[in-house]
Every structure is written in C-alpha cells, then in structure tokens.
Amino acid sequence: MSLEDYNLQLEKQDYCCYICKSYNNDKSLCVDHDHKTGKVRKLLCNNCNSALGYVKDRTDILNSMIDYLTEHSEEED
C-alpha cells in the first residue's frame, strides 16, 4: 500500500480503527491484510490487528469468544 493509498483509506475511515473506531493518538494504524491472499483489507489499531492474528482470522473462534463474553456478562442473581 502506497503512502497515498494509506492516507486516502485513513480519511475514508475518519482517521480511526475500522473495527473499534478508536483514534490512535498520532500513532499509525496497521495495514491489515489477508495472510492467504495478501489482499489489503482496512486500517486497524494494534489491538484489533493483534486480536485477529491471535485467532488466525477464524470467525468460529471469534463467535465462541462473543458467546463466552455474553454468557459471563449477564448479571447473576
């Protein structure tokens, strides 16, 4: 991704992480890409980019994590 493309994408994303929408306080956002195809996806903060890497882009793991958090975020009687 060229610097020009990066800056255009950054502007499209309102200068924030595509996933969590956090602003990165003058730190560069990561250029996320598909490791199988090499195709650039979006710009992400380091936390979101790392999270995708830790789960190896597997949506089944992410869905299980959502289920887990939902189950354990309910107020207990």
Side-chain angles (χ1 to χ4, degrees):
M1 171 178 263
S2 71
L3 181 58
E4 182 179 349
D5 289 339
Y6 178 91
N7 288 330
L8 286 171
Q9 185 61 41
L10 191 60
E11 186 176 351
K12 285 180 187 176
Q13 291 181 209
D14 193 28
Y15 301 92
C16 63
C17 173
Y18 188 82
I19 293 175
C20 71
K21 308 303 183 206
S22 68
Y23 293 93
N24 226 19
N25 299 330
D26 297 327
K27 294 180 183 176
S28 296
L29 293 173
C30 302
V31 178
D32 181 53
H33 67 284
D34 184 307
H35 287 98
K36 291 179 185 175
T37 66
K39 182 180 176 187
V40 171
R41 296 188 286 211
K42 300 290 181 184
L43 303 177
L44 306 178
C45 69
N46 189 56
N47 288 342
C48 289
N49 192 51
S50 295
L52 291 179
Y54 289 137
V55 299
K56 299 181 180 14
D57 293 343
R58 289 183 48 193
T59 57
D60 60 320
I61 295 173
L62 290 170
N63 286 326
S64 291
M65 292 173 87
I66 291 167
D67 292 344
Y68 174 83
L69 289 174
T70 301
E71 177 184 339
H72 293 285
S73 67
E74 295 175 8
E75 291 185 13
E76 295 182 22
D77 294 67

